[in-house]
Amino acid sequence: LAKTTQPISMDSYEGQEVNITCSHNNIATNDYITWYQQFPSQGPRFIIQGYKTKVTNEVASLFIPADRKSSTLSLPRVSLSDTAVYYCLVGDRSGYSTLTFGKGTMLLVSP
Amino acid sequence: NAGVMQNPRHLVRRRGQEARLRCSPMKGHSHVYWYRQLPEEGLKFMVYLQKENIIDESGMPKERFSAEFPKEGPSILRIQQVVRGDSAAYFCASSPERGKETQYFGPGTRLLVL
């Protein structure tokens, strides 16, 4: 399983755009990149998934460069409720895959 | 469509007792995963089950822990003779298909061993 590295914490203010970058130098050809969000005392919640280039949904955007050795989760105009831990995961979709969570990035949004 | 259900949400046990954690996957999902999260840590995979089959238990401690997903009813994670180190949040996730990365997580069961 490809190992991921992401910042331990980030601070932001309401209304700002937040970009969280994740490194995955050993990503394999079949691996997809998935981001989850976890609030205190809750289970992780799927945010977005991608393989290459750019993916956008109603919540976030995911930017993946051509070499796929990193990815950036972009949260537009964050609010206080976006304060959470964000996990970057890399896994194989060709068969089954068990998710491997690191410690994630603790995002704190202040007023 | 109800989400993944877990019960109980909180469980207190004394050392040596048994803990049973239940997980009902989302409707239509036949793949269940159990994870454990220690304080200040990320989630660690424990076991992956399909109906009546254990597919991968590589993250499960060899002793005292077992899991099942019967044909009828919820998936059960069973911890025998609990110790204080078992205190953690246990999360269950489900997915609709084999190989899908999008797993839907339940709210977790917080186990406290006194």
Side-chain angles (χ1 to χ4, degrees), chain A residues 32 34 36 38-46 49 87 89-103, chain B residues 9 31 33 35 37 40-45 47-48 55-56 58 91 98-108 110:
Chain A
Y32 278 70
T34 310
Y36 281 80
Q38 186 179 26
F39 297 113
S41 302
Q42 294 187 26
R45 182 176 74 102
F46 171 85
Q49 182 181 78
Y87 295 97
L89 295 94
V90 173
D92 183 358
R93 288 186 71 182
S94 62
Y96 77 88
S97 176
T98 56
L99 301 180
T100 300
F101 288 79
K103 293 189 176 182
Chain B
R9 293 293 306 277
H31 301 255
Y33 312 79
Y35 295 82
Q37 185 173 34
E40 310 300 323
E41 297 285 333
L43 282 77
K44 304 296 183 188
F45 165 77
V47 61
Y48 162 39
I55 307 301
D56 181 353
S58 59
F91 291 96
R98 179 183 177 95
K100 286 293 185 180
E101 283 293 337
T102 305
Q103 296 181 14
Y104 298 85
F105 284 80
R110 277 143 191 86

Short mmCIF file of all heavy atoms in Angstrom, two decimals, chain A residues 32 34 36 38-46 49 87 89-103, chain B residues 9 31 33 35 37 40-45 47-48 55-56 58 91 98-108 110:
data_model
loop_
_atom_site.label_atom_id
_atom_site.label_comp_id
_atom_site.label_asym_id
_atom_site.label_seq_id
_atom_site.Cartn_x
_atom_site.Cartn_y
_atom_site.Cartn_z
N TYR A 32 -6.12 4.64 -6.69
CA TYR A 32 -6.89 5.86 -6.73
C TYR A 32 -6.59 6.66 -5.46
O TYR A 32 -6.09 6.12 -4.48
CB TYR A 32 -8.39 5.55 -6.77
CG TYR A 32 -8.91 5.23 -8.15
CD1 TYR A 32 -8.55 4.06 -8.79
CD2 TYR A 32 -9.74 6.12 -8.81
CE1 TYR A 32 -9.01 3.77 -10.06
CE2 TYR A 32 -10.21 5.85 -10.08
CZ TYR A 32 -9.84 4.67 -10.70
OH TYR A 32 -10.30 4.40 -11.96
N THR A 34 -8.18 9.07 -2.55
CA THR A 34 -9.46 9.35 -1.92
C THR A 34 -9.24 10.21 -0.68
O THR A 34 -8.29 10.01 0.05
CB THR A 34 -10.17 8.05 -1.50
OG1 THR A 34 -10.18 7.14 -2.61
CG2 THR A 34 -11.60 8.32 -1.07
N TYR A 36 -11.08 11.71 2.85
CA TYR A 36 -12.17 11.60 3.82
C TYR A 36 -12.07 12.74 4.82
O TYR A 36 -10.99 13.27 5.09
CB TYR A 36 -12.10 10.27 4.58
CG TYR A 36 -12.63 9.07 3.84
CD1 TYR A 36 -11.87 8.43 2.87
CD2 TYR A 36 -13.91 8.59 4.11
CE1 TYR A 36 -12.36 7.34 2.19
CE2 TYR A 36 -14.41 7.48 3.43
CZ TYR A 36 -13.62 6.86 2.47
OH TYR A 36 -14.12 5.77 1.80
N GLN A 38 -13.28 13.80 8.83
CA GLN A 38 -13.79 13.25 10.08
C GLN A 38 -13.96 14.34 11.12
O GLN A 38 -13.00 15.04 11.47
CB GLN A 38 -12.87 12.16 10.63
CG GLN A 38 -13.45 11.45 11.86
CD GLN A 38 -12.58 10.35 12.40
OE1 GLN A 38 -11.37 10.35 12.22
NE2 GLN A 38 -13.19 9.38 13.07
N PHE A 39 -15.18 14.45 11.63
CA PHE A 39 -15.47 15.34 12.74
C PHE A 39 -15.28 14.58 14.04
O PHE A 39 -15.38 13.35 14.07
CB PHE A 39 -16.90 15.87 12.65
CG PHE A 39 -17.17 16.70 11.43
CD1 PHE A 39 -18.03 16.26 10.45
CD2 PHE A 39 -16.56 17.93 11.26
CE1 PHE A 39 -18.29 17.02 9.32
CE2 PHE A 39 -16.80 18.70 10.14
CZ PHE A 39 -17.65 18.23 9.16
N PRO A 40 -15.05 15.29 15.13
CA PRO A 40 -14.89 14.60 16.42
C PRO A 40 -16.10 13.73 16.74
O PRO A 40 -17.24 14.12 16.49
CB PRO A 40 -14.77 15.78 17.41
CG PRO A 40 -14.24 16.91 16.61
CD PRO A 40 -14.84 16.75 15.24
N SER A 41 -15.83 12.56 17.22
CA SER A 41 -16.87 11.61 17.65
C SER A 41 -17.76 11.13 16.50
O SER A 41 -18.90 10.71 16.74
CB SER A 41 -17.75 12.23 18.75
OG SER A 41 -16.96 12.60 19.86
N GLN A 42 -17.27 11.22 15.29
CA GLN A 42 -18.03 10.71 14.15
C GLN A 42 -17.13 9.84 13.28
O GLN A 42 -15.90 9.91 13.36
CB GLN A 42 -18.60 11.85 13.32
CG GLN A 42 -19.65 12.68 14.03
CD GLN A 42 -20.30 13.68 13.09
OE1 GLN A 42 -20.35 13.48 11.88
NE2 GLN A 42 -20.80 14.77 13.66
N GLY A 43 -17.76 9.05 12.43
CA GLY A 43 -17.00 8.26 11.47
C GLY A 43 -16.56 9.12 10.29
O GLY A 43 -17.15 10.16 10.02
N PRO A 44 -15.52 8.71 9.59
CA PRO A 44 -15.07 9.45 8.42
C PRO A 44 -16.16 9.53 7.35
O PRO A 44 -16.99 8.64 7.23
CB PRO A 44 -13.88 8.63 7.91
CG PRO A 44 -13.42 7.85 9.08
CD PRO A 44 -14.66 7.54 9.86
N ARG A 45 -16.11 10.63 6.62
CA ARG A 45 -17.09 10.84 5.55
C ARG A 45 -16.35 11.05 4.24
O ARG A 45 -15.43 11.86 4.17
CB ARG A 45 -17.95 12.05 5.88
CG ARG A 45 -19.06 12.34 4.86
CD ARG A 45 -19.91 13.51 5.34
NE ARG A 45 -19.23 14.79 5.22
CZ ARG A 45 -19.46 15.67 4.25
NH1 ARG A 45 -20.32 15.40 3.30
NH2 ARG A 45 -18.83 16.83 4.24
N PHE A 46 -16.75 10.33 3.22
CA PHE A 46 -16.13 10.45 1.91
C PHE A 46 -16.32 11.86 1.36
O PHE A 46 -17.41 12.43 1.41
CB PHE A 46 -16.76 9.43 0.95
CG PHE A 46 -16.36 9.60 -0.49
CD1 PHE A 46 -15.21 9.02 -0.96
CD2 PHE A 46 -17.15 10.33 -1.36
CE1 PHE A 46 -14.84 9.15 -2.29
CE2 PHE A 46 -16.79 10.47 -2.70
CZ PHE A 46 -15.63 9.88 -3.16
N GLN A 49 -12.83 11.60 -4.75
CA GLN A 49 -11.89 10.57 -5.22
C GLN A 49 -11.47 10.89 -6.65
O GLN A 49 -12.28 11.39 -7.44
CB GLN A 49 -12.55 9.20 -5.17
CG GLN A 49 -11.66 8.04 -5.59
CD GLN A 49 -12.41 6.73 -5.52
OE1 GLN A 49 -13.20 6.39 -6.39
NE2 GLN A 49 -12.15 5.97 -4.46
N TYR A 87 -8.27 13.18 5.79
CA TYR A 87 -7.39 12.06 5.51
C TYR A 87 -7.24 11.87 4.00
O TYR A 87 -8.23 11.86 3.26
CB TYR A 87 -7.95 10.76 6.09
CG TYR A 87 -8.03 10.71 7.59
CD1 TYR A 87 -9.22 11.01 8.25
CD2 TYR A 87 -6.93 10.35 8.36
CE1 TYR A 87 -9.32 10.95 9.63
CE2 TYR A 87 -7.01 10.28 9.74
CZ TYR A 87 -8.20 10.59 10.37
OH TYR A 87 -8.28 10.51 11.74
N LEU A 89 -6.01 9.10 1.29
CA LEU A 89 -5.77 7.66 1.20
C LEU A 89 -5.50 7.27 -0.25
O LEU A 89 -6.06 7.86 -1.17
CB LEU A 89 -6.97 6.87 1.71
CG LEU A 89 -7.30 7.03 3.19
CD1 LEU A 89 -8.33 8.12 3.39
CD2 LEU A 89 -7.81 5.73 3.75
N VAL A 90 -4.68 6.25 -0.39
CA VAL A 90 -4.36 5.73 -1.71
C VAL A 90 -4.63 4.24 -1.70
O VAL A 90 -4.19 3.53 -0.81
CB VAL A 90 -2.88 6.01 -2.06
CG1 VAL A 90 -2.51 5.34 -3.36
CG2 VAL A 90 -2.65 7.50 -2.16
N GLY A 91 -5.38 3.76 -2.68
CA GLY A 91 -5.71 2.35 -2.69
C GLY A 91 -6.09 1.84 -4.06
O GLY A 91 -6.45 2.60 -4.96
N ASP A 92 -6.06 0.55 -4.17
CA ASP A 92 -6.29 -0.15 -5.43
C ASP A 92 -7.77 -0.46 -5.60
O ASP A 92 -8.39 -1.03 -4.70
CB ASP A 92 -5.47 -1.44 -5.41
CG ASP A 92 -5.58 -2.22 -6.70
OD1 ASP A 92 -6.31 -1.80 -7.61
OD2 ASP A 92 -4.90 -3.25 -6.80
N ARG A 93 -8.33 -0.08 -6.70
CA ARG A 93 -9.74 -0.37 -6.94
C ARG A 93 -9.94 -1.62 -7.80
O ARG A 93 -11.05 -2.02 -8.06
CB ARG A 93 -10.41 0.81 -7.66
CG ARG A 93 -10.62 2.02 -6.79
CD ARG A 93 -11.40 3.08 -7.53
NE ARG A 93 -12.79 2.72 -7.72
CZ ARG A 93 -13.65 3.47 -8.37
NH1 ARG A 93 -13.25 4.58 -8.94
NH2 ARG A 93 -14.90 3.11 -8.50
N SER A 94 -8.85 -2.23 -8.24
CA SER A 94 -9.03 -3.34 -9.17
C SER A 94 -9.56 -4.57 -8.46
O SER A 94 -10.26 -5.38 -9.04
CB SER A 94 -7.70 -3.68 -9.84
OG SER A 94 -6.75 -4.09 -8.87
N GLY A 95 -9.21 -4.73 -7.23
CA GLY A 95 -9.74 -5.85 -6.46
C GLY A 95 -10.48 -5.30 -5.28
O GLY A 95 -11.22 -4.35 -5.41
N TYR A 96 -10.28 -5.83 -4.12
CA TYR A 96 -10.81 -5.15 -2.94
C TYR A 96 -9.68 -4.36 -2.34
O TYR A 96 -8.52 -4.56 -2.62
CB TYR A 96 -11.37 -6.16 -1.94
CG TYR A 96 -10.31 -6.89 -1.14
CD1 TYR A 96 -9.83 -6.34 0.06
CD2 TYR A 96 -9.81 -8.10 -1.54
CE1 TYR A 96 -8.87 -7.00 0.80
CE2 TYR A 96 -8.86 -8.75 -0.81
CZ TYR A 96 -8.38 -8.20 0.37
OH TYR A 96 -7.44 -8.85 1.09
N SER A 97 -10.01 -3.47 -1.53
CA SER A 97 -8.97 -2.65 -0.92
C SER A 97 -9.37 -2.25 0.48
O SER A 97 -10.49 -1.83 0.70
CB SER A 97 -8.72 -1.41 -1.76
OG SER A 97 -7.77 -0.56 -1.14
N THR A 98 -8.49 -2.43 1.39
CA THR A 98 -8.75 -1.95 2.74
C THR A 98 -8.07 -0.60 2.90
O THR A 98 -6.93 -0.44 2.53
CB THR A 98 -8.21 -2.94 3.78
OG1 THR A 98 -6.82 -3.15 3.54
CG2 THR A 98 -8.93 -4.26 3.69
N LEU A 99 -8.79 0.34 3.40
CA LEU A 99 -8.28 1.70 3.52
C LEU A 99 -7.24 1.80 4.63
O LEU A 99 -7.42 1.24 5.69
CB LEU A 99 -9.42 2.67 3.80
CG LEU A 99 -10.53 2.70 2.75
CD1 LEU A 99 -11.60 3.70 3.16
CD2 LEU A 99 -9.97 3.05 1.39
N THR A 100 -6.16 2.49 4.34
CA THR A 100 -5.13 2.73 5.34
C THR A 100 -5.11 4.21 5.66
O THR A 100 -4.77 5.03 4.81
CB THR A 100 -3.75 2.28 4.83
OG1 THR A 100 -3.78 0.89 4.54
CG2 THR A 100 -2.68 2.54 5.89
N PHE A 101 -5.51 4.54 6.87
CA PHE A 101 -5.56 5.92 7.30
C PHE A 101 -4.28 6.31 8.03
O PHE A 101 -3.82 5.59 8.89
CB PHE A 101 -6.73 6.14 8.26
CG PHE A 101 -8.09 6.11 7.62
CD1 PHE A 101 -8.70 4.92 7.31
CD2 PHE A 101 -8.77 7.30 7.34
CE1 PHE A 101 -9.95 4.89 6.72
CE2 PHE A 101 -10.02 7.28 6.76
CZ PHE A 101 -10.61 6.07 6.45
N GLY A 102 -3.74 7.47 7.67
CA GLY A 102 -2.65 8.04 8.44
C GLY A 102 -3.24 8.88 9.56
O GLY A 102 -4.39 8.66 9.96
N LYS A 103 -2.48 9.84 10.04
CA LYS A 103 -2.99 10.69 11.12
C LYS A 103 -3.80 11.85 10.60
O LYS A 103 -4.45 12.57 11.35
CB LYS A 103 -1.83 11.18 11.99
CG LYS A 103 -1.16 10.07 12.77
CD LYS A 103 -0.17 10.61 13.78
CE LYS A 103 0.42 9.47 14.60
NZ LYS A 103 1.35 9.96 15.64
N ARG B 9 -23.57 2.91 20.91
CA ARG B 9 -22.68 4.01 20.62
C ARG B 9 -21.57 4.12 21.66
O ARG B 9 -20.45 4.52 21.35
CB ARG B 9 -23.46 5.32 20.57
CG ARG B 9 -24.45 5.42 19.41
CD ARG B 9 -23.73 5.47 18.06
NE ARG B 9 -22.74 6.53 18.00
CZ ARG B 9 -23.01 7.79 17.72
NH1 ARG B 9 -24.25 8.16 17.44
NH2 ARG B 9 -22.05 8.70 17.67
N HIS B 31 -20.63 -5.66 1.80
CA HIS B 31 -19.23 -5.66 2.22
C HIS B 31 -19.11 -4.80 3.47
O HIS B 31 -19.55 -3.65 3.47
CB HIS B 31 -18.34 -5.10 1.12
CG HIS B 31 -18.41 -5.88 -0.15
ND1 HIS B 31 -17.41 -6.74 -0.57
CD2 HIS B 31 -19.37 -5.94 -1.10
CE1 HIS B 31 -17.76 -7.29 -1.72
NE2 HIS B 31 -18.94 -6.83 -2.06
N TYR B 33 -16.50 -3.54 6.75
CA TYR B 33 -15.13 -3.35 7.21
C TYR B 33 -15.17 -2.84 8.65
O TYR B 33 -15.99 -1.98 8.98
CB TYR B 33 -14.40 -2.32 6.34
CG TYR B 33 -14.55 -2.53 4.85
CD1 TYR B 33 -15.71 -2.13 4.19
CD2 TYR B 33 -13.53 -3.09 4.10
CE1 TYR B 33 -15.85 -2.31 2.83
CE2 TYR B 33 -13.66 -3.27 2.73
CZ TYR B 33 -14.83 -2.88 2.10
OH TYR B 33 -14.98 -3.06 0.74
N TYR B 35 -12.82 -0.99 11.68
CA TYR B 35 -11.61 -0.22 11.95
C TYR B 35 -11.58 0.13 13.44
O TYR B 35 -12.61 0.27 14.08
CB TYR B 35 -11.58 1.09 11.15
CG TYR B 35 -11.50 0.92 9.65
CD1 TYR B 35 -12.65 0.67 8.91
CD2 TYR B 35 -10.29 1.02 8.98
CE1 TYR B 35 -12.58 0.51 7.53
CE2 TYR B 35 -10.21 0.88 7.60
CZ TYR B 35 -11.37 0.62 6.89
OH TYR B 35 -11.30 0.47 5.52
N GLN B 37 -9.88 3.03 16.14
CA GLN B 37 -9.19 4.31 16.25
C GLN B 37 -8.85 4.59 17.70
O GLN B 37 -9.73 4.75 18.54
CB GLN B 37 -10.05 5.45 15.68
CG GLN B 37 -9.32 6.78 15.65
CD GLN B 37 -10.13 7.85 14.93
OE1 GLN B 37 -11.35 7.87 14.98
NE2 GLN B 37 -9.44 8.75 14.23
N GLU B 40 -6.12 10.20 19.34
CA GLU B 40 -5.09 10.95 18.63
C GLU B 40 -4.45 10.15 17.49
O GLU B 40 -3.38 10.52 17.01
CB GLU B 40 -3.99 11.44 19.58
CG GLU B 40 -4.50 12.17 20.82
CD GLU B 40 -5.32 13.40 20.48
OE1 GLU B 40 -4.96 14.09 19.50
OE2 GLU B 40 -6.32 13.68 21.18
N GLU B 41 -5.08 9.09 17.06
CA GLU B 41 -4.52 8.27 15.98
C GLU B 41 -5.50 8.19 14.82
O GLU B 41 -6.68 8.51 14.96
CB GLU B 41 -4.22 6.85 16.49
CG GLU B 41 -3.18 6.77 17.60
CD GLU B 41 -1.79 6.99 17.06
OE1 GLU B 41 -1.54 6.69 15.88
OE2 GLU B 41 -0.93 7.48 17.85
N GLY B 42 -4.99 7.75 13.67
CA GLY B 42 -5.86 7.49 12.54
C GLY B 42 -6.53 6.14 12.69
O GLY B 42 -6.22 5.38 13.61
N LEU B 43 -7.44 5.85 11.80
CA LEU B 43 -8.13 4.56 11.85
C LEU B 43 -7.22 3.45 11.34
O LEU B 43 -6.50 3.61 10.35
CB LEU B 43 -9.38 4.60 10.97
CG LEU B 43 -10.59 5.30 11.55
CD1 LEU B 43 -10.43 6.80 11.47
CD2 LEU B 43 -11.86 4.86 10.84
N LYS B 44 -7.28 2.32 12.02
CA LYS B 44 -6.51 1.15 11.62
C LYS B 44 -7.47 0.04 11.19
O LYS B 44 -8.38 -0.33 11.93
CB LYS B 44 -5.64 0.64 12.79
CG LYS B 44 -4.72 1.68 13.36
CD LYS B 44 -3.67 2.14 12.38
CE LYS B 44 -2.71 3.12 13.04
NZ LYS B 44 -1.78 3.73 12.05
N PHE B 45 -7.23 -0.49 10.01
CA PHE B 45 -8.07 -1.56 9.49
C PHE B 45 -7.94 -2.80 10.36
O PHE B 45 -6.85 -3.16 10.82
CB PHE B 45 -7.65 -1.90 8.06
CG PHE B 45 -8.18 -3.20 7.55
CD1 PHE B 45 -9.50 -3.31 7.15
CD2 PHE B 45 -7.37 -4.32 7.50
CE1 PHE B 45 -9.99 -4.52 6.68
CE2 PHE B 45 -7.84 -5.52 7.03
CZ PHE B 45 -9.16 -5.62 6.63
N VAL B 47 -10.65 -5.82 9.91
CA VAL B 47 -11.17 -6.98 9.20
C VAL B 47 -12.16 -6.55 8.13
O VAL B 47 -12.84 -5.52 8.27
CB VAL B 47 -11.84 -7.97 10.20
CG1 VAL B 47 -13.01 -7.30 10.91
CG2 VAL B 47 -12.26 -9.26 9.55
N TYR B 48 -12.20 -7.36 7.06
CA TYR B 48 -13.12 -7.12 5.94
C TYR B 48 -13.94 -8.39 5.75
O TYR B 48 -13.40 -9.48 5.63
CB TYR B 48 -12.30 -6.76 4.70
CG TYR B 48 -13.00 -6.89 3.36
CD1 TYR B 48 -14.34 -6.52 3.20
CD2 TYR B 48 -12.30 -7.34 2.26
CE1 TYR B 48 -14.95 -6.62 1.96
CE2 TYR B 48 -12.90 -7.45 1.02
CZ TYR B 48 -14.23 -7.09 0.88
OH TYR B 48 -14.83 -7.19 -0.35
N ILE B 55 -13.00 -12.06 4.50
CA ILE B 55 -12.15 -11.92 3.33
C ILE B 55 -10.70 -11.57 3.74
O ILE B 55 -9.75 -12.09 3.17
CB ILE B 55 -12.69 -10.84 2.39
CG1 ILE B 55 -14.15 -11.11 2.04
CG2 ILE B 55 -11.83 -10.75 1.13
CD1 ILE B 55 -14.40 -12.45 1.39
N ASP B 56 -10.58 -10.69 4.70
CA ASP B 56 -9.24 -10.25 5.11
C ASP B 56 -9.29 -9.89 6.59
O ASP B 56 -10.03 -8.98 6.96
CB ASP B 56 -8.81 -9.05 4.27
CG ASP B 56 -7.41 -8.53 4.62
OD1 ASP B 56 -6.81 -9.00 5.59
OD2 ASP B 56 -6.92 -7.64 3.89
N SER B 58 -6.32 -9.44 8.32
CA SER B 58 -4.91 -9.18 8.58
C SER B 58 -4.67 -8.14 9.66
O SER B 58 -3.61 -8.08 10.25
CB SER B 58 -4.21 -8.75 7.28
OG SER B 58 -4.81 -7.58 6.75
N PHE B 91 -15.03 1.63 14.41
CA PHE B 91 -15.88 2.08 13.32
C PHE B 91 -16.13 0.94 12.34
O PHE B 91 -15.24 0.15 12.04
CB PHE B 91 -15.24 3.25 12.56
CG PHE B 91 -15.18 4.51 13.36
CD1 PHE B 91 -14.04 4.85 14.06
CD2 PHE B 91 -16.27 5.37 13.41
CE1 PHE B 91 -13.97 6.02 14.80
CE2 PHE B 91 -16.22 6.54 14.15
CZ PHE B 91 -15.07 6.86 14.84
N ARG B 98 -17.41 -5.16 -4.41
CA ARG B 98 -16.01 -5.52 -4.18
C ARG B 98 -15.12 -4.55 -4.95
O ARG B 98 -15.35 -4.27 -6.12
CB ARG B 98 -15.78 -6.93 -4.68
CG ARG B 98 -14.36 -7.45 -4.54
CD ARG B 98 -14.27 -8.84 -5.14
NE ARG B 98 -12.94 -9.38 -5.10
CZ ARG B 98 -12.48 -10.18 -4.16
NH1 ARG B 98 -13.27 -10.52 -3.18
NH2 ARG B 98 -11.25 -10.63 -4.19
N GLY B 99 -14.12 -4.03 -4.27
CA GLY B 99 -13.15 -3.17 -4.95
C GLY B 99 -13.51 -1.71 -4.96
O GLY B 99 -12.77 -0.91 -5.50
N LYS B 100 -14.61 -1.34 -4.36
CA LYS B 100 -14.98 0.06 -4.36
C LYS B 100 -14.29 0.78 -3.21
O LYS B 100 -14.37 0.39 -2.08
CB LYS B 100 -16.49 0.22 -4.23
CG LYS B 100 -17.25 -0.12 -5.49
CD LYS B 100 -16.95 0.86 -6.61
CE LYS B 100 -17.80 0.57 -7.82
NZ LYS B 100 -17.53 1.51 -8.93
N GLU B 101 -13.63 1.89 -3.50
CA GLU B 101 -12.96 2.63 -2.46
C GLU B 101 -13.91 3.43 -1.59
O GLU B 101 -13.58 3.80 -0.50
CB GLU B 101 -11.94 3.59 -3.09
CG GLU B 101 -10.68 2.92 -3.55
CD GLU B 101 -9.87 2.38 -2.40
OE1 GLU B 101 -10.02 2.86 -1.27
OE2 GLU B 101 -9.09 1.44 -2.63
N THR B 102 -15.07 3.74 -2.13
CA THR B 102 -15.98 4.58 -1.36
C THR B 102 -16.65 3.75 -0.29
O THR B 102 -17.57 2.99 -0.56
CB THR B 102 -17.04 5.21 -2.28
OG1 THR B 102 -16.39 5.91 -3.33
CG2 THR B 102 -17.92 6.17 -1.50
N GLN B 103 -16.14 3.85 0.91
CA GLN B 103 -16.73 3.16 2.04
C GLN B 103 -17.52 4.16 2.86
O GLN B 103 -17.08 5.28 3.09
CB GLN B 103 -15.64 2.50 2.89
CG GLN B 103 -14.88 1.41 2.16
CD GLN B 103 -13.82 0.74 3.00
OE1 GLN B 103 -13.78 0.90 4.21
NE2 GLN B 103 -12.95 -0.01 2.36
N TYR B 104 -18.66 3.74 3.32
CA TYR B 104 -19.54 4.58 4.11
C TYR B 104 -19.44 4.15 5.56
O TYR B 104 -19.69 3.00 5.89
CB TYR B 104 -20.97 4.48 3.60
CG TYR B 104 -21.11 4.96 2.16
CD1 TYR B 104 -20.87 4.10 1.10
CD2 TYR B 104 -21.46 6.27 1.88
CE1 TYR B 104 -20.96 4.53 -0.21
CE2 TYR B 104 -21.58 6.71 0.57
CZ TYR B 104 -21.32 5.84 -0.47
OH TYR B 104 -21.41 6.28 -1.76
N PHE B 105 -19.08 5.10 6.40
CA PHE B 105 -18.79 4.78 7.79
C PHE B 105 -19.98 5.03 8.71
O PHE B 105 -20.78 5.95 8.50
CB PHE B 105 -17.61 5.62 8.29
CG PHE B 105 -16.29 5.13 7.80
CD1 PHE B 105 -15.84 5.44 6.53
CD2 PHE B 105 -15.47 4.35 8.61
CE1 PHE B 105 -14.61 4.98 6.07
CE2 PHE B 105 -14.24 3.89 8.16
CZ PHE B 105 -13.82 4.21 6.89
N GLY B 106 -20.05 4.22 9.74
CA GLY B 106 -21.02 4.44 10.79
C GLY B 106 -20.49 5.41 11.82
O GLY B 106 -19.35 5.88 11.72
N PRO B 107 -21.29 5.71 12.84
CA PRO B 107 -20.90 6.69 13.85
C PRO B 107 -19.90 6.16 14.87
O PRO B 107 -19.34 6.93 15.64
CB PRO B 107 -22.22 7.04 14.53
CG PRO B 107 -23.04 5.80 14.37
CD PRO B 107 -22.66 5.22 13.04
N GLY B 108 -19.68 4.86 14.86
CA GLY B 108 -18.70 4.29 15.77
C GLY B 108 -19.28 3.85 17.10
O GLY B 108 -20.35 4.30 17.53
N ARG B 110 -17.83 3.61 20.99
CA ARG B 110 -16.71 3.96 21.87
C ARG B 110 -16.68 3.00 23.04
O ARG B 110 -17.61 2.99 23.85
CB ARG B 110 -16.83 5.41 22.32
CG ARG B 110 -16.27 6.35 21.26
CD ARG B 110 -17.04 7.65 21.12
NE ARG B 110 -16.58 8.34 19.90
CZ ARG B 110 -17.09 8.11 18.70
NH1 ARG B 110 -18.08 7.25 18.55
NH2 ARG B 110 -16.62 8.75 17.65
#
